Amino acid sequence: MTRFGVHIDPPLADIPFQLSAFSLNTFQTTLRDPRRLSKEGVPDEEDQAAFQAGMASFPDSWGIAHASMLTSLGSPDPRIRNGSMSALAGDANLAAKLNMQGVCFHVGYQKGHDSRDDALDAVIYKLKEVLARLKPGARVLLENGCEGTELGQSIEELGRVAHGVEMPADKIGVVLDTCHLHVAGFDLSHIDAPQRLADEIYAAGIFSIISALHLNDAREACGSHRDRHAVPGQGTIGEGLIRLLAHPFFHDLPVILEMSTEAAMQGIEFLNDHFSE
């Protein structure tokens, strides 16, 4: 069955309490200040230990972390691309230590490159270095983008990156953000959208590494390229999210709602009206 969860900010020790309070077992968090590539905000040993102790009560939990929003593996600036590589690998290894399933990150940007092909090649080159630094059990998860010169706005581009690093399923996966897909131009509100999306995923050869959904509705129109999340059922995708989760390919994926906890619980109530946990 589909598992619905929320984003919970650190300290990590708060996560078990919030999961219990909202009767959830699925979550996303961060393992460093999301506005930095440095070690600011990395949980100390005490916070890590408190988190692990608390999560013992959730043996079937599923959780991931979100990488720094500054992550840009293909940046022309060596400080940014090397910092991105170190921070992403560090977060993934820490996530594995904490029994999380991986760290999601935005693919990057075309800015500073002559073409999208050049930018994607630069990401692939640096991502190989990230994968080489991962300890056993550590995994990174590509997330599709939607704004400006962001890369990975299509399933095809996600597939190119995944295949470019030879797609080791134990080290790399994909998190699909529904808001991003919609505002990037894939109309998820259309009645046949789930099957078309599944077909694109199979055509791109990444069906085996689709790992989770960021199930966000969109405040802006399809094709607007504006990343503004809305509560499921209250945006321009609307019932399209229900149809997506009803499709066999997507039905069993873990689901994270990226918004305030109050808004996320409204969205989960909307989803639970159609699906029983």
Side-chain angles (χ1 to χ4, degrees), residues 24 29 39 73 79 87 89 100 107 126 129 135 146 159 161 163 171 176 188 246 250 252-253 263 276:
L24 301 172
T29 190
K39 292 187 176 181
L73 293 175
R79 295 172 300 176
M100 295 182 197
V107 177
K126 210 65 182 175
E129 292 189 39
K135 296 177 181 179
C146 65
V161 175
H163 286 288
K171 293 184 177 181
L176 291 178
L188 283 173
F250 304 101
D252 292 329
L253 292 174
S276 59

Side-chain angles (χ1 to χ4, degrees), residues 2 194 240-252 274-275:
T2 304
L241 295 178
I242 299 299
R243 289 190 289 271
L244 183 71
L245 290 182
H247 190 283
F249 185 88
F250 304 101
H251 182 64
D252 292 329
H274 298 82
F275 302 98

Side-chain angles (χ1 to χ4, degrees), residues 64-218:
I64 59 173
H66 198 299
S68 168
M69 298 306 295
L70 297 185
T71 303
S72 185
L73 293 175
S75 173
D77 186 333
R79 295 172 300 176
I80 295 176
R81 66 173 179 267
N82 289 327
S84 296
M85 182 265 294
S86 296
L88 183 57
D91 283 358
N93 287 329
L94 178 55
K97 175 186 173 184
L98 297 172
N99 294 317
M100 295 182 197
Q101 279 65 46
V103 176
C104 67
F105 70 102
H106 292 205
V107 177
Y109 301 87
Q110 181 181 335
K111 185 177 180 180
H113 295 278
D114 291 336
S115 68
R116 292 186 77 79
D117 284 343
D118 289 344
L120 289 166
D121 286 342
V123 169
I124 291 167
Y125 180 84
K126 210 65 182 175
L127 183 54
K128 288 179 179 179
E129 292 189 39
V130 172
L131 299 183
R133 291 190 176 204
L134 297 186
K135 296 177 181 179
R139 200 164 182 240
V140 294
L141 308 169
L142 296 163
E143 179 179 350
N144 54 305
C146 65
E147 292 193 320
T149 68
E150 268 196 285
L151 303 169
Q153 295 194 30
S154 67
I155 300 299
E156 180 183 8
E157 285 191 347
L158 292 175
R160 176 169 173 185
V161 175
H163 286 288
V165 297
E166 300 180 351
M167 211 171 70
D170 61 327
K171 293 184 177 181
I172 193 166
V174 171
V175 173
L176 291 178
D177 187 302
T178 52
C179 173
H180 297 176
L181 278 171
H182 187 68
V183 301
F186 190 103
D187 188 356
L188 283 173
S189 70
H190 198 279
I191 194 168
D192 68 352
Q195 186 58 51
R196 287 191 298 108
L197 181 58
D199 289 345
E200 286 197 13
I201 289 168
Y202 277 102
I206 57 173
F207 58 91
S208 63
I209 61 168
I210 302 297
S211 305
L213 296 171
H214 281 167
L215 199 79
N216 305 309
D217 211 327

